[in-house]
Amino acid sequence: MGGGLCALLLTISATVAQSGSLIATQVDTGTVLAVFDVPEGSGWCVLWHHSVQGFEVADCYENREGRMVLVRSHQPDFAAGLGHIPGRGVQMSDGQGGYWIEGIDEPVPNDAYILRPGVGFVDHQIRANGMEISLSALAPRARVRIALTGN
């Protein structure tokens, strides 16, 4: 009986260790705007439209051993504020005139950051698990904390 209980506890512990949640919270009110299940090894992207050129930019993250890690970025053009920084990932063509910066592999300090979603066509969104949530629609210009928790 003791061995079975130990096996059950190890299974539960392994499951808890591999689970994680991505939570977007409005800082000033504490309102939870979105929650995504992001187990170990899974990822999500924060998307927005460039304020001058209007194309969609994506920064993509992954839950790596309970840490929020910036993995890659998609940038359709070399517009203002965009571009590859040598030594920070590898730039490669996306085959459509833009580029991916792959292998950034940069842990996010404290597994969280603050974003102030733009209004209108900028439309900051989180895409995870086949769903998209518009932070711009839920909390335009508000301070939003995006955090990986539960690991």
Side-chain angles (χ1 to χ4, degrees):
M1 177 116 165
L5 179 58
C6 287
L8 176 62
L9 290 175
L10 285 174
T11 301
I12 291 170
S13 296
T15 302
V16 170
Q18 292 178 358
S19 67
S21 295
L22 183 69
I23 303 174
T25 308
Q26 189 169 336
V27 173
D28 61 343
T29 65
T31 302
V32 174
L33 304 172
V35 178
F36 295 95
D37 180 39
V38 287
E40 162 70 29
S42 67
W44 66 93
C45 295
V46 175
L47 313 156
W48 73 95
H49 291 94
H50 190 273
S51 61
V52 176
Q53 298 297 325
F55 51 66
E56 188 174 82
V57 177
D59 287 327
C60 299
Y61 301 83
E62 189 175 290
N63 177 348
R64 288 197 184 159
E65 299 177 1
R67 298 292 322 269
M68 180 189 292
V69 178
L70 177 60
V71 177
R72 62 195 293 213
S73 181
H74 183 253
Q75 301 176 9
D77 196 331
F78 291 95
L82 300 179
H84 175 240
I85 299 169
R88 188 173 182 242
V90 177
Q91 179 180 318
M92 54 185 54
S93 173
D94 67 1
Q96 300 175 354
Y99 59 98
W100 280 98
I101 302 171
E102 297 281 354
I104 297 172
D105 299 329
E106 184 176 285
V108 175
N110 302 312
D111 303 312
Y113 63 93
I114 303 293
L115 172 73
R116 199 175 285 273
V119 296
F121 74 94
V122 173
D123 195 21
H124 281 93
Q125 300 175 41
I126 297 175
R127 179 185 297 151
N129 303 329
M131 299 184 327
E132 290 181 8
I133 301 292
S134 173
L135 298 175
S136 293
L138 297 172
R141 295 191 180 119
R143 292 180 47 161
V144 173
R145 181 174 187 266
I146 299 173
L148 179 63
T149 64
N151 294 293

